[in-house]
Amino acid sequence: MLLWSVLNAHGGVLPEDVHVLYANTGKEMPETLDFIRECSERWGVPITWLEYADHDDPQQRWRMVDFDSASREGEPFAALIARKRLLPNPVKRICTSELKIRVMKLYAQQVLGFEHWDVLIGYRSDEPRRVAKLAAPHKEPFDRSAPLASAGVSAADVGAFWQRQPFDLRLPNMNGKTMHGNCDLCFLKGGKQVFSLIREKPSRALWWIDQERKGVPDGKGDGHLFRKDRMNYETMHALATGGHGELFAFDDEEIEDCACTD
Ligand code: SF4
């Protein structure tokens, strides 16, 4: 909706100095990749697909891909974990910073030649805490803003917008929010949501189990878990596939958007 608003404000054409980027972690739902391609095709707007690429030189840790060549088995994410010898967690979110923010920053600097730029984020007016954090002091060469929030656009408005469109994300929607967005079993999602996503498709847990098994060389300490404050992915998978999930009480949290962009 943010992209559509930018296009709409410029006669349906993307201004020359505006660029649309998608940083693929390889762990998004296939519907997300389909949706990004569909936005590009239906609205006639170029979208640049980027991924983390492993390289000894930090300046070369990115590559351009497209819908066909984009990773779908978590390859960029696994490569980052192997490089850092560390699993990301809610406190040390190296996945957001390296797979998304840094990849886009390198592209902006090396290909677009930007020295300073503005980043538009699609936060809504019902996310004041996230919006407020955008104004925090930083040392990045870009400033971030949330035009939809500034315009008072809420989750309900976004839902209504997509109902008027001839296409949408095609992922289950609960009051304008989806627990299927971003990386499929992101550790920032609530335990109940992750458990439900595993139960819906148990094979989703396998990549996460694999990373927790090999995330650090000795497999000891908290560094080999995505979350130390709840059961690991292997246990959730065993409960989900063994039919005993109801025996374990997760916090009864609401569906919340994954806070990856915070
Ligand atoms: S969606 Fe979650 S797992 Fe994926 S990059 Fe963001 S914080 Fe990391």
Side-chain angles (χ1 to χ4, degrees), residues 50-87:
L50 304 170
E51 281 184 4
Y52 171 90
D54 192 46
H55 200 286
D56 287 340
D57 179 357
Q59 291 296 310
Q60 297 190 49
R61 289 183 192 158
W62 72 277
R63 67 178 185 137
M64 216 181 304
V65 294
D66 57 23
F67 177 83
D68 293 320
S69 62
S71 300
R72 288 167 169 79
E73 304 292 334
E75 299 92 330
F77 203 156
L80 173 69
I81 291 170
R83 161 73 54 182
K84 298 287 182 183
R85 300 163 75 88
L86 174 78
L87 291 185

Side-chain angles (χ1 to χ4, degrees), residues 9-30:
H10 296 86
V13 180
L14 199 65
E16 258 183 34
D17 58 347
V18 178
H19 303 267
V20 187
L21 309 181
Y22 167 57
N24 179 48
T25 67
K27 282 305 292 167
E28 285 86 358
M29 298 280 183

Side-chain angles (χ1 to χ4, degrees), residues 85-87 211-221 223-224:
R85 300 163 75 88
L86 174 78
L87 291 185
Q211 300 308 317
E212 285 194 323
R213 280 186 184 150
K214 68 181 186 191
V216 289
D218 60 4
K220 292 176 186 166
H224 73 295

Side-chain angles (χ1 to χ4, degrees), residues 234-245:
E234 187 165 12
T235 306
M236 279 198 267
H237 178 263
L239 285 172
T241 53
H244 304 302

Side-chain angles (χ1 to χ4, degrees), residues 25 77 93 95-96 99-100 182-183 186-188 208 258 260:
T25 67
F77 203 156
R93 207 140 38 82
C95 46
T96 303
L99 299 176
K100 297 184 176 181
N182 279 319
C183 295
C186 170
F187 51 86
L188 295 180
W208 300 87
C258 159
C260 184

